Structure formats: structure tokens, C-alpha cells
Amino acid sequence: MNSKKIIVQKFGGTSVADTDKIKNVARTILREQSFGNDVVVVVSAMGHTTDHLVKMAKEISPNPSGREMDMLLSTGEGISIALLAMAIQEAGGQAVSMNAMQVGIITENIHSKARIVDIKTDRIKRHLDEGKVVVIAGFQGVTPNGEVTTLGRGGSDTSAVALAAALEAARCDIYTDVEGVYTTDPRLVPTASRLDVVSYEEMLELARVGANVLHPRAVETAKMFKVPLRVRSSFKLDNLGTLIVGVEDMELQKPVTGVASDLSQLRIVVCDVPDVPGRAAQIFSKLADANISVDMIIQSYARKLENTNDIAFTIDKSDLDKTLKTLDNMKENIGASRFQVDENIAKVSIVGAGMIDRPGIAASMFDTLAEQNINIKMISTSEIKISCLVDELDADKAVIALHKAFNLNCDEIADVKGTLPDV
Ligand code: ADP
Ligand code: ASP
Ligand code: MG
């Protein structure tokens, strides 16, 4: 047993996009180890590998089985771990690569968005005790029956945080291609401001509404297990990036911390549902049984003459086929006349713990969208978030306008290209 601190480092796809970048990551890892720490590394698939794998699958089948999809997608991370372990060895270090089965990253028996339920740490610890860097495949898991699963797109962040929690790591550093968490996507708004700190609560909302710099479940897990989490640049190692902390440790200044948009959803309207008790329960429990997550929901005011109303809700685009099948199966039972699908939508959101008890924030958001002549199709709110559904074509314009209206711009231009550091 050694008493060194364990640091978990996670490197995303752009950080390992080619072999030079992999060599660079190996140096970053050995630098952390040279500070006297044990290092566990989680790595994503190289560059756009996962997208290419998805594309190939779709060329063969429009609706491939979940099991085979997970078998396919999990191969991307398999390439990165082996190459990275070789690069560490070549740079003079000791390393061993492990996939999720070898570690024992146990998930639920659900394909494409499984949740981690347990992580075995014994083999990892044994390798650490031998002085090795342990390089683990992100994004993948295994069910108790030995089936391969994946955690959802962007899920390597969650693998890293869950490992950090299981290993009681001193820190989990998420290395990526921007210098931290910004007030909005710096690729869309180059004058977005980098946040030195952001609360778990705000980061969770931002991640859920489209700020894909962190996977939502990674933030959820970090919050639950109080994992000290940092987002930082793979390319500028001296910059400490953004620290994610408990809201109680923060001084709230502005009402809005960040703006995000999400183009991954679509809207379904179930038309002319009889206005009687139990219909909504029927619809949403069947969707839940089919493992379909529903986000925004609106039920229209009942039409007195026909005694019907419409129920509209949003889901992930990838769940469309499953949802239509589920709805078709219960169409007679619920008495709806038809279903309408609106694919060209975007959800634009503002997030900030500072909006609690501050009236007028929603009105300012609606005013800003109105000034841009943007129509709002649905609205949903939580204590620290307001989301509006708008036309997909208005999404960027809405984010830029809201970012300005809530005073989030800074004078500097964010570096989103990344250059190789001197390690
Ligand atoms: P990785 O491959 O390292 O996991 P991702 O592409 O998943 O990287 O996430 C990093 C990207 O997230 C950035 O390049 C940036 O364009 C995007 N992004 C979206 N919203 C934000 C935000 N609020 N702050 C920082 N980056 C953001
Ligand atoms: N490779 C997976 C993806 O592209 C997981 C990840 O990068 O976090 O979604
Ligand atoms: Mg990512």
C-alpha cells in the first residue's frame, strides 16, 4: 500500500487526435507523476473516430441494434488507450492500458446511455502500487452479464469522475481543447469570458442544456461524491482553467453565469387528447418504460367544446423512432387524433444561481429574444435556469444576443485552436 495522492486526468478526442498529440499527452501525464502523484488516465477515442463509426453503422442500417452499436463505438477508445500506453513507455514511463471489462466498470443493462453502478478498484490499485500509470478507456462499461455498454456521447468525462470518486482521488482534471468553462461556447462567441470557478449546480444545468464541455452525468457524480473537478487546456498547461465547486463557496455577482443552446432535441405534439384524468400519466409512463427521457412538457388549455387538449414535449432526436412506435401502440388507448413532429427546433437557455430571488430575469430574456424577432415556442424554468424553445435557425442569434444582454462578454478573444505546449 502506498500513500501517494491519486490524480485522475481525462483527455478528450481533440487532445489525442493524432500520434504527435498522443506523445504530448504522455509527457503531460509523466509531468503529473513527477510531482509525486499516482496517475490514472481516462482517454476518449481519437479525434472524430466515434462520429466516423456512427456514420459507418448508419450506412449499413438506419436503425442498428443497441448492442451492436455499443460493440462498435467502444472500439474507438480501445485504440487510444493502447497507443497512449505505448507513448508513455516510449517516453520512459511505465504504463498499462485497461478497458472497462478489465477494470470492472459495471453499468446497468441499457445500451447507448448506461449508468455506472459500480467500479472495481483492486486491479487499478495493484498497477499503481507497481509504479505504473493506468490508462483506462472512457465511455465504455460492462453489465454484470458481461455485455459491453456505452455511457452516451461525451461520456468519457463521466468515466473519469466516477473513477475519481471510486479511487477517492485528490483531483479530477478534464483536459480539453479550450481553456476552461466559458460563459458560452467560445467557438460561437469569441469574446465569451472564462470562468475561474463555477458551482456544481450551475455547471450541471449548463451541461444539461447544451454546454458540451462536460457530460452532465460527470457533473452529477462530482457533486454527489464531492470530487474536486477542474476543466483545463491540454495545450496550455500553466493555465489552471475552471474549478467546479459547491455553490456555498461562491460569491454570486451576476444574475446569469452562462448561456447555452441545444440542437439535439425535437418536439412532438400529441394532438386532441381527451381532457380526462390519467391521460398524461398514461403517455409518460409508457415513454419511461421504453427508457425515453422527456425534457420540456406543455399541456395546452383544454378546448371546452371538444373537451380535448394537446400535449407537447421534447425528446432527444435519437429517440424519435422508439417514441413514435411507443405512441402508435397506445394511440387508440389515449384517444389522440395524431402526432406532429417538429425537428427544426433549438433550446436556448440562461443559467445562473444569481437569478434566485431576482425578479425580471425571465422578462429580460423574453425581451431580448423579441428584439431579435425570435419567436418562443415553449418555455421551461427551474430555480437557476430559464429555457426557451426557438426555431433552429435562430439559435446562434439568440445565444449571441442573450450573452450580450446579460453582460457576459469580455475584452479578450478566446483561444479555441490550441497549440502544443512545452512539457
Ligand atoms: P473533448 O473532446 O475534450 O471531450 P468536447 O468537444 O466534448 O471536448 O468539449 C469541448 C468543447 O465544448 C469546446 O471546444 C467548446 O467548443 C464546447 N463548449 C460548449 N460550451 C462551452 C462552454 N460554455 N465553455 C467551454 N467550452 C464549451
Ligand atoms: N468518444 C465518445 C464520444 O465521442 C466519448 C467521449 O468522447 O467522451 O462521444
Ligand atoms: Mg467531451
Side-chain angles (χ1 to χ4, degrees):
M1 257 317 269
N2 72 46
S3 55
K4 285 184 184 171
K5 274 198 291 192
I6 298 177
I7 308 295
V8 174
Q9 299 185 315
K10 180 258 168 179
F11 295 90
T14 30
S15 308
V16 292
D18 56 43
T19 48
D20 277 339
K21 292 207 170 94
I22 290 179
K23 289 179 196 168
N24 168 57
V25 164
R27 289 191 291 271
T28 305
I29 293 165
L30 290 174
R31 180 171 112 131
E32 185 67 63
Q33 202 188 33
S34 75
F35 298 150
N37 298 318
D38 277 339
V39 187
V40 172
V41 177
V42 173
V43 69
S44 297
M46 293 171 70
H48 297 290
T49 304
T50 314
D51 292 332
H52 289 310
L53 294 171
V54 171
K55 185 166 169 280
M56 279 196 289
K58 297 278 172 195
E59 282 167 13
I60 289 179
S61 162
N63 208 0
S65 93
R67 182 188 186 278
E68 300 314 326
M69 221 33 210
D70 279 354
M71 286 296 284
L72 178 70
L73 297 194
S74 64
T75 61
E77 274 66 17
I79 298 173
S80 325
I81 52 169
L83 290 175
L84 183 54
M86 286 176 204
I88 296 169
Q89 290 161 0
E90 192 56 31
Q94 292 186 69
V96 58
S97 65
M98 295 179 86
N99 62 27
M101 290 110 258
Q102 290 168 314
V103 172
I105 300 181
I106 313 296
T107 71
E108 313 163 311
N109 191 11
I110 288 171
H111 287 295
S112 86
K113 49 181 171 191
R115 280 175 178 269
I116 296 175
V117 293
D118 188 25
I119 295 187
K120 315 271 181 237
T121 55
D122 43 337
R123 285 186 73 179
I124 302 175
K125 285 188 173 152
R126 223 177 307 138
H127 287 308
L128 291 176
D129 287 345
E130 290 163 6
K132 291 178 190 153
V133 173
V134 186
V135 183
I136 299 175
F139 181 51
Q140 51 178 253
V142 62
T143 68
N145 295 334
E147 287 295 319
V148 174
T149 54
T150 60
L151 312 182
R153 295 302 306 272
S156 297
D157 298 334
T158 300
S159 311
V161 176
L163 276 158
L167 291 162
E168 295 178 15
R171 226 173 54 228
C172 181
D173 286 344
I174 306 286
Y175 285 86
T176 187
D177 57 359
V178 288
E179 288 175 51
V181 178
Y182 285 74
T183 46
T184 194
D185 189 341
R187 289 179 200 282
L188 175 64
V189 182
T191 50
S193 319
R194 188 182 55 76
L195 301 164
D196 284 331
V197 284
V198 61
S199 65
Y200 291 118
E201 291 77 4
E202 290 168 301
M203 191 61 236
L204 185 55
E205 288 285 16
L206 279 170
R208 281 185 183 147
V209 296
N212 58 359
V213 63
L214 276 179
H215 194 238
R217 248 183 277 140
V219 188
E220 230 171 71
T221 310
K223 178 171 184 262
M224 195 181 311
F225 295 97
K226 298 209 163 19
V227 175
L229 185 62
R230 195 181 274 285
V231 176
R232 57 196 300 184
S233 165
S234 285
F235 305 104
K236 294 193 175 166
L237 297 180
D238 291 333
N239 295 6
L240 286 179
T242 301
L243 188 63
I244 293 117
V245 298
V247 74
E248 61 283 0
D249 299 330
M250 287 194 56
E251 254 177 73
L252 299 173
Q253 281 152 355
K254 292 181 179 170
V256 173
T257 303
V259 184
S261 67
D262 181 0
L263 275 75
S264 70
Q265 295 191 345
L266 54 76
R267 175 172 67 160
I268 295 191
V269 189
V270 183
C271 304
D272 307 314
V273 181
D275 188 34
V276 293
R279 288 299 195 257
Q282 236 176 320
I283 297 172
F284 293 108
S285 53
K286 283 277 185 279
L287 293 172
D289 289 346
N291 205 24
I292 297 160
S293 303
V294 171
D295 182 20
M296 295 167 118
I297 302 176
I298 283 190
Q299 179 173 310
S300 69
Y301 194 68
R303 287 177 285 268
K304 276 276 178 300
L305 224 51
E306 299 91 357
N307 208 24
T308 59
N309 55 37
D310 298 331
I311 298 180
F313 57 90
T314 61
I315 52 159
D316 254 20
K317 282 184 173 145
S318 59
D319 282 336
L320 178 60
D321 289 346
K322 219 167 34 165
T323 305
L324 289 180
K325 227 176 268 165
T326 310
L327 289 174
D328 270 335
N329 286 342
M330 61 175 155
K331 193 168 165 199
E332 308 275 281
N333 273 344
I334 53 174
S337 68
R338 66 200 161 90
F339 311 121
Q340 200 177 299
V341 180
D342 185 358
E343 297 205 49
N344 305 318
I345 54 151
K347 186 172 71 173
V348 179
S349 309
I350 56 173
V351 172
M355 68 173 71
I356 299 175
D357 297 331
R358 248 195 260 202
I361 304 298
S364 306
M365 178 175 191
F366 305 152
D367 267 350
T368 306
L369 296 177
E371 273 163 23
Q372 299 293 320
N373 207 18
I374 295 173
N375 189 35
I376 302 172
K377 295 166 182 250
M378 279 169 115
I379 299 166
S380 78
T381 61
S382 77
E383 208 180 18
I384 61 166
K385 178 208 73 184
I386 306 166
S387 298
C388 294
L389 205 69
V390 301
D391 192 291
E392 185 179 54
L393 295 176
D394 289 328
D396 289 356
K397 192 165 74 167
V399 170
I400 293 166
L402 291 167
H403 192 265
K404 182 157 181 252
F406 289 103
N407 295 319
L408 299 174
N409 283 315
C410 75
D411 298 334
E412 274 174 50
I413 302 288
D415 177 4
V416 292
K417 290 189 297 293
T419 46
L420 289 176
D422 287 329
V423 186

